[in-house]
């Protein structure tokens, strides 16, 4: 019985069976894919945060109301007219009591408690009754030397008047040392006017609006015993 011839395998078949994996495949590619996953997750998180922040800002900007603002300067004690007011849009803030436009008739005819500059958003604390000074308030004028008040002090600025308690002569029982070490009294006030011409002796006359209960203490202060410091809104 004749045996059939067996065809030998070619060299090309041997190479295909033993060929190494192509570059970019296998465990190295899987490792690179695993390293990229944290960065992909972080990028997705940043996109979500940005979208949420934009949505929150859009909502906050949408919570706006029409309120009253000062259209031109109004002096303290001056009656407020319709020409002094303007309607503006402001963000609604529960911590700030702004006056809505609907209450304009309740504002006209009342007086400015402090000097108002253009652009000031009106609040109930800035306006008073027709009489000036308002109930519970008094005005006082002080002749102060340079160094006793801030340079460029504007009308309407809130200030703290520090009154030295020593040297007034009202309490003879205190020794000179006690008076020198006594802490000064602090009085909150609002600047109504600054007269740079002053008293003709190098002093500037500054007019203040303050609580009536603080008036006697300020009036009893001797010359040179009062120093003004401008404070932030709210008296801090």
């Amino acid at each position: 019985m004749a045996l059939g011839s067996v065809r030998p395998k070619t060299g090309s078949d041997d190479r295909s069976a033993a060929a190494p994996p192509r570059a970019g495949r296998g465990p190295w590619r899987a490792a690179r894919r695993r390293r990229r996953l944290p960065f992909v997750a972080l990028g997705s998180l940043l996109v979500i945060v940005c979208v949420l922040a934009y949505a929150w800002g859009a909502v906050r900007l949408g919570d706006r109301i029409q309120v009253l603002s000062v259209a031109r300067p109004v002096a303290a004690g001056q009656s407020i007219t319709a020409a002094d007011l303007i309607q503006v849009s402001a963000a609604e803030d529960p911590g700030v009591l702004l006056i809505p436009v609907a209450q304009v008739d309740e504002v006209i005819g009342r007086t400015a408690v402090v000097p108002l500059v253009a652009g000031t958003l009106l609040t109930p604390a800035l306006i008073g009754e027709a009489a000036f000074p308002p109930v519970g308030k008094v005005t006082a004028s002080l002749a102060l030397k340079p160094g006793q008040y801030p340079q460029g002090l504007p009308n309407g600025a809130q200030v703290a008047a520090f009154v030295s308690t020593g040297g007034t002569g009202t309490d003879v029982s205190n020794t000179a040392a006690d008076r020198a070490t006594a802490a000064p009294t602090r009085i909150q006030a609002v600047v109504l006017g600054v007269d740079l011409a002053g008293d003709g002796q190098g002093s500037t006359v500054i007019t203040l609006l303050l609580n009536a209960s603080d008036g006697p203490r300020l009036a009893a202060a001797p010359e040179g015993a009062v120093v003004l410091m401008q404070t932030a809104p709210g008296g801090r």
Side-chain angles (χ1 to χ4, degrees):
M1 179 176 181
L3 298 176
S5 61
V6 178
R7 186 178 181 181
K9 295 182 179 180
T10 62
S12 59
D13 294 336
D14 295 338
R15 286 194 302 271
S16 62
R22 296 177 61 184
R25 299 181 181 274
W28 290 105
R29 184 174 183 181
R32 287 198 297 271
R33 186 182 298 110
R34 287 195 296 268
R35 286 197 296 268
R36 292 195 191 101
L37 288 178
F39 296 100
V40 173
L42 179 60
S44 301
L45 180 60
L46 289 176
V47 171
I48 294 173
V49 171
C50 292
V51 171
L52 292 177
Y54 175 81
W56 181 85
V59 171
R60 292 297 299 169
L61 289 175
D63 293 340
R64 303 184 73 82
I65 56 176
Q66 298 300 310
V67 298
L68 294 176
S69 178
V70 180
R72 59 186 182 183
V74 179
Q78 178 180 330
S79 180
I80 299 175
T81 66
D84 299 324
L85 304 175
I86 190 174
Q87 173 181 328
V88 298
S89 176
E92 188 173 9
D93 187 349
V96 181
L97 299 177
L98 301 177
I99 301 179
V101 174
Q103 298 179 11
V104 62
D105 291 337
E106 301 176 18
V107 174
I108 296 176
R110 300 179 67 180
T111 59
V113 174
V114 297
L116 302 176
V117 298
T120 301
L121 297 179
L122 281 183
T123 65
L126 298 179
I127 57 176
E129 303 303 327
F132 190 86
V135 176
K137 300 286 185 179
V138 295
T139 61
S141 294
L142 304 173
L144 303 178
K145 299 287 187 181
Q148 290 183 264
Y149 66 96
Q151 295 296 315
L153 191 64
N155 292 347
Q158 297 189 30
V159 296
F162 292 93
V163 183
S164 300
T165 56
T168 61
T170 58
D171 189 354
V172 296
S173 63
N174 290 341
T175 64
D178 292 337
R179 293 193 298 268
T181 58
T185 301
R186 174 173 173 152
I187 298 174
Q188 289 299 131
V190 176
V191 177
L192 297 182
V194 178
D195 184 3
L196 297 177
D199 58 358
Q201 300 179 1
S203 297
T204 298
V205 176
I206 299 178
T207 303
L208 303 176
L209 177 70
L210 61 153
N211 293 330
S213 58
D214 293 327
R217 286 185 290 176
L218 192 62
E223 183 179 357
V226 179
V227 176
L228 299 184
M229 292 186 63
Q230 187 171 355
T231 63
R236 296 181 180 181

